[in-house]
Every structure is written in C-alpha cells, then in structure tokens.
Amino acid sequence: MERRADVPGELTSSVDSLTATLQEVVDPDTTPQDREAVTESAQALASALAVITDDSTPGGLRDRLTGLVKQVTATLEVGLEPDVPAEDRSRVFLVADRTTVVLKGFGGPKAPATLGPQQLKDIVNVNYTAAQSRGGGNTGRGSQGMSLAVSDFHNLSMSSERRAAFAAAITQAGRQMRAASDPESSPQERAEARHEMSKQIARMEDEQKKVASSQEQPEASLGKAAEVCTNAIFNNVPEGEISDGLKDVTPRSWETAGVKDFWKASDEGNDVLDVRAQLSNDEHAHAPFQVARLIVGLADVLPANDLPTTVGGEPAAHCKRTATYLDEQGISAGDWVAPDDW
C-alpha cells in the first residue's frame, strides 16, 4: 500500500478505509476466502495508487483510477457491515477481488493492453452495483456474474471480433446494473432497468460461453486439473450446495461440526486432493479426498452448461479436462465431458 502521505488528499480516507478493512479481516471469524479476496483487492489497489502518485501519469488516467479506488474501497466497506449476510458478504468481496486483480502491475510492462477507459468504467460500475445491492438479490448476483466476465475478458485468449462483442456485452450489462441500483432513480426507472438488465446479462453470458468454447483443454495432470476446477467451485458456489453435493465424500467429523467454508484443495498426487476447510466451530481442518469421488460430487452440483458463467473459462476448461481423464477410466462426471461447446 502506498504511504498515506504520498497519495492525493482526496484519497487519504480511502487509504485509511483499506487499512482498517485489512485489519478487520484478520479476525478469526472471517473465512479464509473472504480474507484472501480482501487482501488481493488491497494489493491490486496499491498498484493503482502507485500509478496515481506517479507524476508522469496522464491526468485523465489519474482521474479514472482515483474514482476506481474510491468505489472499490466503498464496496469493501459494505462487505464489513455487520448486517450483511455471510453469502452476500462473500459476493461483495469476490466482486472487488475479481475486478481489481487486473490492476496488479498496472503501471509496469505486464499492464493489460485491454484495460482502457471503458474497461476501467466497467470495473467501477460493477463495484457500484455490488455495493448498492449489498451483494444481495438479483442485482447482487448479477454483479458477481459480471465480475467473472470482466476477469475472463482480461485473462482469456480470443479473436479481436469476439473480444469486441464480449466487451460491448459487458459494458451494456454494467450500465443496466448501475441504473437498476441507482437510489436516485424512480422505482419505475429501476424496474425498467432491471428488466433490461436481465436481457443484457443473458447476452453477456452467451458471449462468455462462446469465449469459453474456444479455449483448448489445458495440458495438466488429473490432479492439477482437478485442483484448479475444485478451487474455482469452492470460491464461487454457495457452501450449502457444495456440502449437499459432497455429503457422501466429506469426513464424518466435518459433518458433525458442519462446514463453514470449503477453502482450498491441493494436488497431493496419486489421484488425491488435500482439501482444507473452516468448520462452523471455526476449527481449521484438512483431509484427503479421492479426485474421482470429489469431482463426481461437484459435477452433480454444477451442470456443464453453467460452468463458464459460474467459475470462468479457464477453470471450466480444467473441469472438462478432469472429466475427460475420469471418462477414460470409465467414471462419469455428470455431463461435464459430453458437450463440445458450452
């Protein structure tokens, strides 16, 4: 984080808020995923602050980044409000993390060439929506989907024509989400925006699936592919749904306490993933899970057609790769291996 004294006066309160947020999520009651999302968001915003304080930065870019830092900071603040339900809080933090991670190294040679003025505005719009909706309702869920689309836009390869169509769809969805969340609009205006928002989200998801369908299956071992796939599902699907899908796989001791947060899986070799979780009693636990049983359970939770718009194009490709490996062993992972296109 840039030193408080180095940032413009209009951002000192934002830096103070980010510092306070980082201190808040140290609390052991915070789930590991929420803590990680906030930490990564703060690190990404530090890159933006470095550009803002650089005297060589053009004024227009400085203004846009300043507005972005303010908005993302406000989004993170909402996630810490005590009356925001846990699932909505995680959604708020996830939106901030996904949409700011592209800012890491923004001023360096790896700055995304796709991160132009409109893309910065898209990031502001989706964070505004997440903050105004407090992560809840259709608008909050829409903001989660748009943040994933923004991440795919910057991280996946695609043709220039597909990129232009995808960018336009993301922008239109963001505009309607913001309008539907604007407290200064009339109830009728917000209702009309929500109706249009549904259509634009569907268009955005259609473009996202087209991008996903063009991705090649990764050159990864069964364990590595399963690791990427599993972690993406842990990060994007509600814990209750995961618990239901894995009820025949989860250790009995975990079931007794209840799982608060399926956190992370690591490839242990020999077709085994070491799964870490935070239990409802806040105990941190880990246990070996057989890849085949784990993936079959997760495939029951998430149909193939929903993979790209729930976990993103790259993890979806890893899920398909995992299912292909299992299919070769005579094990069916739902419908993950069946479709050639999403």
Side-chain angles (χ1 to χ4, degrees), residues 193-210:
R194 284 194 296 272
H195 177 72
E196 184 63 24
M197 179 186 77
S198 297
K199 294 192 294 184
Q200 294 301 333
I201 288 176
R203 175 190 171 201
M204 178 185 72
E205 290 181 342
D206 182 58
E207 291 296 334
Q208 192 173 5
K209 289 178 181 180
K210 290 176 181 177

Side-chain angles (χ1 to χ4, degrees), residues 262-311:
F262 281 97
W263 178 26
K264 190 168 289 186
S266 302
D267 176 23
E268 292 292 300
N270 299 317
D271 300 345
V272 171
L273 295 185
D274 182 58
V275 174
R276 284 173 278 173
Q278 183 176 18
L279 306 184
S280 296
N281 60 7
D282 287 330
E283 175 187 348
H284 290 260
H286 70 100
F289 281 57
Q290 291 294 323
V291 166
R293 297 186 66 200
L294 174 65
I295 294 300
V296 168
L298 294 177
D300 283 342
V301 172
L302 192 59
N305 190 55
D306 294 336
L307 276 169
T309 55
T310 301
V311 302

